[in-house]
Amino acid sequence: HKLSVMAMSSAATTAPSVDKVDGFSRKSVRKARQKRAQSSSQFRSQDKPIELVQLPLLKDVSAQEQPELFLKKLQQCCTLFDFMETLSDLKMKEYKRSSLNELVDYVTLSRGYLTEQTYPEVVKMVSCNIFRTLPPSDSNEFDPEEDEPTLEASWPHLQLVYEFFIRFLESQEFQPSVAKKYIDQKFVLQLLELFDSEDPRERDCLKTVLHRIYGKFLGLRAFIRKQINNIFLCFVYETEHFNGVAELLEILGSIINGFALPLKAEHKQFLVKVLLPLHTVRSLSLFHAQLAYCIVQFLEKDPTLTEPVIRGLLKFWPKTCSQKEVMFLGELEEILDVIEPTQFVKIQELLFKQIARCVSSPHFQVAERALYYWNNEYIMSLIEENSSVILPIMFASLYRISKEHWNPAISALIYNVLKAFMEMNSALFDELAANYKSDRQRERKKDKEREDLWRKLEELELRRGVQNSDGVIPT
Amino acid sequence: MAGADSDDSLYPIAVLIDELRNEDVQLRLNSIKKLSTIALALGVERTRTELLPFLTDTIYDEDEVLLALAEQLGNFTMLVGGPEYVHCLLPPLESLATVEETVVRDKAVESLRKISHEHSPVDLEVHFEPLVKRLASGDWFTSRTSACGLFSVCYPRVSSTVKAEIRQHFRTLCSDDTPMVRRAAASKLGEFAKVLELEYVKSDIISLFTALASDEQDSVRLLAVEAGVSIATLLPQEDLEALVMPTLRQAAEDKSWRVRYMVADKFSDLQKAVGPEITKNDLVPAFQNLLKDCEAEVRAAAANKVKEFCENLPEDSRETIIMTHILPCVKELVSDTNQHVKSALASVIMGLSTILGKDNTIEHLLPLFLAQLKDECPEVRLNIISNLDCVNEVIGIRQLSQSLLPAIVELAEDAKWRVRLAIIEYMPLLAGQLGVEFFDEKLNSLCMAWLVDHVYAIREAATCNLMKLVEKFGAEWAQNTIVPKVLGMANDPNYLHRMTTLFCINALSEVCGQEITTKHMLPVVFKMSNDQVANVRFNVAKSLQKIGPVLDSNCLQTEVKPVLEKLASDQDMDVKYFAQEAISGEFCNCCSRVLCNFAKTKVSNPKRYSLSKLRLCHAPLKRLVLTRPHISTSLCGNISIMPPKCSRKERRRGFSNRSNVEAAMSDRRCVFQCESKSTLFGLPEVDARARERARERERARESESFPTSKGRYISIKACQHILLHQIHKIMIFKKASYDPFKLKN
């Protein structure tokens, strides 16, 4: 019952509702519901309308008065509006929007506004606006190709707040040494939680914000990495639900790029225990490109990691999901593109046993994706160097499939691959072809032996059962 | 026992162990699942010294294999030599408890908890507790997570110094810096509190609870809510206010909806835990807030608890609290914007009527019921109707008929056929609540109208509905009210309606019994065999096959058989096919009968007779389970059908006889292999010897019987309608070969 709440929304919607059983109307119903906006779940009923005192524009007051007015405006912008109530407080919503716009311009253009007392006010304004409990997710199974994301209703204000904050962080006068008092671990933690937002626009802003913070606050780096680890581990092993995985991986991609050599044990652990298990998640397609990028970054840094990475991929190789299998094959090719020949030799046997299975997959896209490896010159050169090992592994699958595969395109590809092998090492090829039949027979014999074994075992168990039971057996 | 085995029996074991290293995961898995056999064959000594170290070393495997291993090891105590050696199982389980994959780890913890009870107090301190400590101070979060589940099982049986250490470890884990570990600790907090002495609950647990309930992550806070409920049950009433209530109050107003949802979901438990006074002062306003929450998820969870909450209110002030505090919120929920909230409310709101009594129900609740009965969402309406019985008891049937029946009728004629289908499913229930007279008067015509609905699914459901009604009201009622109407449809100009008559007969023959079937239904079926539409004719053949088991054998031979033979020479191909099928397939029904009888026997006297595997035709068994659950719903619940190992075509022709049916598990398995090709009219034309043998067995029938687990016999008479020659072979597994029909001689 950990997070049974997450399951709850699904329970509520998948209950045998009369409407939903009907398979025909489903899509149209879904379409109608799309483009729904959501708001944060912090609004309790608001009774009276909000009144803000209109302040003069910053550019209309003298330079001495500006800092104080700036602070006042920051305080005013802490007021929140309920955007689900589309008709309430229209005037004040517009006023806050224009104030925010003004603030954005002010931090971009002005000089010398950033005094020590501005920092807490800026952080407070940003925190007030962006930190909120995200509402329950409407779609239990988010399908990026079918579903439109649910958008944040208060985006007109939120967008400006994010923009203001990014400008603030990027401003030349910004001093991390002062800001670190206010932008602390708690702030970062709340920021990371927001990555679960369903609105891609918000996640994009968050990505920039977090990247800047990681860049400027050296003291927070280890903490940020650790918290991202926790989010990923929770995502993989507990909830399987987090919207911002792709964005976090993008940030990590650039972080990994900057790791110093030799890699610390902590970073290696992150690769093996966090990044590799991310491959097991059902929604892999949503962040696979970013994940593969991170993995390849690691391997470019330290080629000796190739073996554990490939072993990990083979361990998590999809058993039933062909779509994921194609993704794995794609990632593997990216890895092979940068692999060092010495590393390749270490892993080639295991690797090609899997590739042989993929080549003979009845799903033509899987087979096709695996066979495309033979169009890659670098991989071909690696295969050629080690043909005496790889050819015997691949031969049986290729030979069988060349006659059996239902898809003519696959048969043609296989034919080319066999031809390539024949040119590579014709003596070995001929030998394998000659032995093919006897090898199959040997395999069949082995299978039969195994069956016999199980039968024997069953008998053994039966006999033992007889010995153990106390009953009298009528004969 | 194992040591006595000869060498040839050890040979397969050697290969099995070899298989544990096989490249193919499936083969490793097969082998791991037979681990107990391997251990049994090796004997306790070698299991301890060879097998377990081997397993501990090879633990880096696929998660699937590890899961099987973790499960097996939980049952290994006897195989390593009993409780005094049970600690040998700890090393492999310890490694498994540190694996990343959650299911594997959970299973390992489950097994560890199981074997912890088999440890002696000394072993617990010497072997088990150090393991818990190692896990609790592991580097990676997985081992610490696993440790959380192990404290409560060893705490009660160790010395006080060790107890203090355990408490200290638990405290550390509650403030772990990984949220995963804090979550695990929070979810085990209540369980741990239960085994602690009260003084430590007050001194230790309360502070941990308060800390977890104000954790920065809402996923931790929500788990603390559940722990809070358990803790509240442990504390004396006077301490509750000071120790747990502030935290719980705060949880009910948490800024995260997940936490509020959890409070709403656990509200009834909470109410029981804190007692009437706090309920009155604190929980009532909290519940009101939850019912008015801004998130639909929270409102729905609270709405679900309305009835339970009201029921458990202290009796002296129950009515006033409901009337002044709860009912106004409920009234608002009736017109909520979210349909899940409304339907959650609709599923419990009727229960309030018994609490509030007749007058209040009529004055306050009835308008709400009526509003919900007119709700745009059919689920809401259906939830109201499915709970009619509570109101029926309070305000009586007349009140209902005036206000509720129009809604039922409206649903029954809804334009969406799925809505109609749903209301049909409630008909037997309604009939039971409203009584036979009322039913005849108001609803009977509806039920008959569904029989001529233009959607097949509705007609089909309507036939099934009739069958259930007959079960409720009896065969006599059927004969007087519905059978004439059903049979009247046989003359309908629309052939679909004529076919509906046949479908009804299929469904009704069994519940109506032999007499009505033979006297009234059979003639109509015979008459319809001359129908000009081929579809009707082949359905006659199918019907005859279905109702065959109800009829006596004389009638079958003299009346049914000629009709079927005539149909078998019909000019239409399909009619011919189904007639032949009926002639050869009558047997199928018998099989299902046998199964039923066995299942009944089993339940009425479980010790006496048990069976777990029947090999019979797929089709009749499926029919038994799917369409005749009324015979023995509870009995059929245990029956699951495995797909037969034959092609669809073969199955359709009745060639298959290999479906495995698992019924009621027990220590003894009985396998029936039947010949599906034999018929009710006798054996198919085989050689004379087989017929001779059949006759012989027929004669032996009276004296034949099944063995029971105690070696006594029960009579086969329970299933006498199956001819013995149709049972090809009966095998009792785990016993030596049993040959009741002397097949070997």
Side-chain angles (χ1 to χ4, degrees), chain B residues 718-732:
Chain B
C719 43
Q720 54 186 293
H721 46 264
I722 184 168
L723 299 180
L724 281 176
H725 65 256
Q726 289 160 344
I727 297 178
H728 179 63
K729 195 176 174 191
I730 294 183
M731 300 189 303
I732 309 291

Side-chain angles (χ1 to χ4, degrees), chain B residues 222-447:
Chain B
L222 69 90
L223 290 168
V225 172
E226 211 178 343
V229 175
S230 314
I231 296 169
T233 50
L234 299 172
L235 291 175
Q237 190 70 31
E238 63 271 17
D239 290 331
L240 283 176
E241 179 53 46
L243 296 178
V244 289
M245 280 320 288
T247 314
L248 286 174
R249 236 174 267 144
Q250 175 197 323
E253 292 184 345
D254 197 280
K255 69 179 196 303
S256 163
W257 61 271
R258 288 189 182 86
V259 180
R260 299 198 302 274
Y261 169 84
M262 203 59 170
V263 175
D265 197 46
K266 301 277 166 231
F267 217 81
S268 309
D269 299 332
L270 182 62
Q271 190 186 6
K272 279 176 206 148
V274 298
E277 272 313 301
I278 294 179
T279 299
K280 260 192 274 183
N281 302 333
D282 278 295
L283 295 192
V284 172
F287 194 59
Q288 278 174 293
N289 280 340
L290 291 171
L291 288 173
K292 288 188 219 152
D293 198 276
C294 64
E295 286 303 338
E297 259 80 0
V298 181
R299 290 199 302 277
N304 256 324
K305 302 283 165 192
V306 164
K307 184 195 156 200
E308 250 183 289
F309 180 74
C310 293
E311 260 176 358
N312 295 330
L313 284 170
E315 240 170 88
D316 52 335
S317 51
R318 184 191 290 158
E319 197 175 319
T320 32
I321 291 178
I322 297 175
M323 297 306 293
T324 53
H325 295 105
I326 306 298
L327 207 57
C329 303
V330 169
K331 276 181 186 159
E332 270 176 50
L333 289 183
V334 167
S335 49
D336 199 277
T337 47
N338 185 297
Q339 71 167 46
H340 298 304
V341 177
K342 285 188 291 188
S343 76
L345 181 70
S347 62
V348 297
I349 191 174
M350 310 292 271
L352 291 180
S353 52
T354 35
I355 305 170
L356 285 177
K358 188 174 176 184
D359 295 338
N360 280 330
T361 301
I362 293 174
E363 196 187 333
H364 297 285
L365 292 177
L366 202 57
L368 302 182
F369 299 160
L370 292 176
Q372 293 218 301
L373 276 171
K374 293 193 190 91
D375 198 280
E376 58 184 8
C377 164
E379 209 181 319
V380 176
R381 282 177 273 163
L382 285 170
N383 275 348
I384 289 285
I385 287 175
S386 59
N387 286 306
L388 273 179
D389 51 346
C390 330
V391 185
N392 190 7
E393 287 162 19
V394 181
I395 56 175
I397 202 157
R398 285 299 144 201
Q399 195 81 35
L400 277 174
S401 63
Q402 283 157 16
S403 9
L404 299 174
L405 274 169
I408 298 174
V409 174
E410 199 185 313
L411 279 173
E413 288 163 358
D414 196 284
K416 281 188 193 144
W417 66 268
R418 290 191 185 275
V419 176
R420 299 201 295 274
L421 189 64
I423 188 78
I424 292 177
E425 277 159 17
Y426 285 118
M427 267 303 156
L429 195 82
L430 280 171
Q433 288 165 11
L434 298 173
V436 65
E437 277 171 42
F438 186 85
F439 183 85
D440 279 345
E441 194 182 317
K442 306 277 184 189
L443 298 178
N444 197 5
S445 56
L446 274 182
C447 290

Side-chain angles (χ1 to χ4, degrees), chain B residues 505-553:
Chain B
I505 289 174
N506 295 347
L508 292 175
S509 63
E510 176 149 354
V511 278
C512 285
Q514 197 184 41
E515 199 197 326
I516 297 179
T517 309
T518 321
K519 237 190 199 163
H520 301 276
M521 297 179 180
L522 203 56
V524 177
V525 179
F526 287 154
K527 207 180 115 202
M528 289 168 90
S529 68
N530 298 321
D531 200 287
Q532 57 188 359
V533 179
N535 298 42
V536 178
R537 292 201 301 278
F538 75 63
N539 271 300
V540 166
K542 280 176 164 181
S543 285
L544 287 173
Q545 180 181 358
K546 290 221 177 81
I547 64 178
V550 184
L551 307 171
D552 67 41
S553 57

Side-chain angles (χ1 to χ4, degrees), chain B residues 509-655:
Chain B
S509 63
E510 176 149 354
V511 278
C512 285
Q514 197 184 41
E515 199 197 326
I516 297 179
T517 309
T518 321
K519 237 190 199 163
H520 301 276
M521 297 179 180
L522 203 56
V524 177
V525 179
F526 287 154
K527 207 180 115 202
M528 289 168 90
S529 68
N530 298 321
D531 200 287
Q532 57 188 359
V533 179
N535 298 42
V536 178
R537 292 201 301 278
F538 75 63
N539 271 300
V540 166
K542 280 176 164 181
S543 285
L544 287 173
Q545 180 181 358
K546 290 221 177 81
I547 64 178
V550 184
L551 307 171
D552 67 41
S553 57
N554 185 32
C555 167
L556 279 174
Q557 286 293 350
T558 57
E559 296 181 58
V560 177
K561 204 177 176 187
V563 174
L564 281 175
E565 273 163 355
K566 194 188 79 190
L567 287 172
S569 56
D570 198 281
Q571 58 190 2
D572 186 277
M573 221 177 72
D574 289 324
V575 179
K576 247 192 233 175
Y577 170 77
F578 283 109
Q580 270 155 7
E581 169 112 308
I583 294 173
S584 62
E586 288 285 22
F587 165 73
C588 297
N589 281 316
C590 298
C591 291
S592 52
R593 282 291 201 82
V594 176
L595 187 61
C596 259
N597 276 314
F598 283 147
K600 275 177 193 160
T601 322
K602 156 113 180 53
V603 168
S604 60
N605 194 349
K607 273 277 151 56
R608 200 174 146 216
Y609 190 83
S610 57
L611 108 167
S612 68
K613 256 187 190 169
L614 274 177
R615 290 190 177 188
L616 293 172
C617 268
H618 185 62
L621 292 167
K622 192 167 170 193
R623 213 161 37 230
L624 170 79
V625 176
L626 298 184
T627 69
R628 306 203 301 188
H630 61 282
I631 295 178
S632 47
T633 325
S634 56
L635 313 177
C636 293
N638 293 329
I639 301 171
S640 65
I641 296 177
M642 328 256 257
K645 292 188 184 102
C646 68
S647 73
R648 203 187 156 81
K649 202 164 155 197
E650 280 174 327
R651 215 185 314 156
R652 196 160 54 91
R653 298 225 174 122
F655 290 148

Side-chain angles (χ1 to χ4, degrees), chain A residues 1-6 8-9 12-13 17-19 21-22 41 43-44 133-136 189 193 226 230 233-234 237-238 269 273 315 319 353 450 453-454 456-457 460-462 464-466 468-469 471-475, chain B residues 5 9 11-12 15-16 19 22-23 27 30-31 34 37 40 62 100-102 140-141 177-180 183 216-217 219 226 254-258 260-261 294-295 297 340 379 382 416 418-419 707 711 713 734-736 738:
Chain A
H1 40 200
K2 270 176 217 165
L3 290 169
S4 57
V5 176
M6 305 299 287
M8 176 263 163
S9 54
T13 38
S17 111
V18 178
D19 259 348
V21 188
D22 195 320
S41 113
F43 290 101
R44 302 271 173 138
T133 309
L134 296 169
L189 205 59
E193 270 175 31
K226 199 169 142 205
N230 285 345
L233 288 169
C234 176
Y237 294 116
E238 293 181 3
Q269 191 185 45
K273 295 216 165 186
K315 183 181 173 197
K319 300 213 168 44
K353 273 179 190 159
R450 176 168 294 120
L453 172 72
W454 282 110
K456 258 190 194 165
L457 192 73
L460 198 71
E461 226 176 304
L462 279 183
R464 188 158 290 117
V466 172
N468 291 346
S469 66
V472 184
I473 308 132
T475 42
Chain B
D5 275 307
S9 73
Y11 162 73
V15 186
L16 256 181
E19 291 266 281
N22 196 297
E23 233 172 73
L27 296 177
N30 288 344
S31 175
K34 289 280 175 192
T37 313
L40 203 62
E62 296 259 345
E100 258 94 16
E101 181 51 53
T102 326
W140 192 239
F141 78 97
D177 64 345
T178 23
M180 286 76 85
R183 271 197 288 277
E216 60 208 358
Q217 301 236 336
S219 52
E226 211 178 343
D254 197 280
K255 69 179 196 303
S256 163
W257 61 271
R258 288 189 182 86
R260 299 198 302 274
Y261 169 84
C294 64
E295 286 303 338
E297 259 80 0
H340 298 304
E379 209 181 319
L382 285 170
K416 281 188 193 144
R418 290 191 185 275
V419 176
Y713 293 87
K734 289 197 177 178
K735 300 276 169 184
Y738 170 61

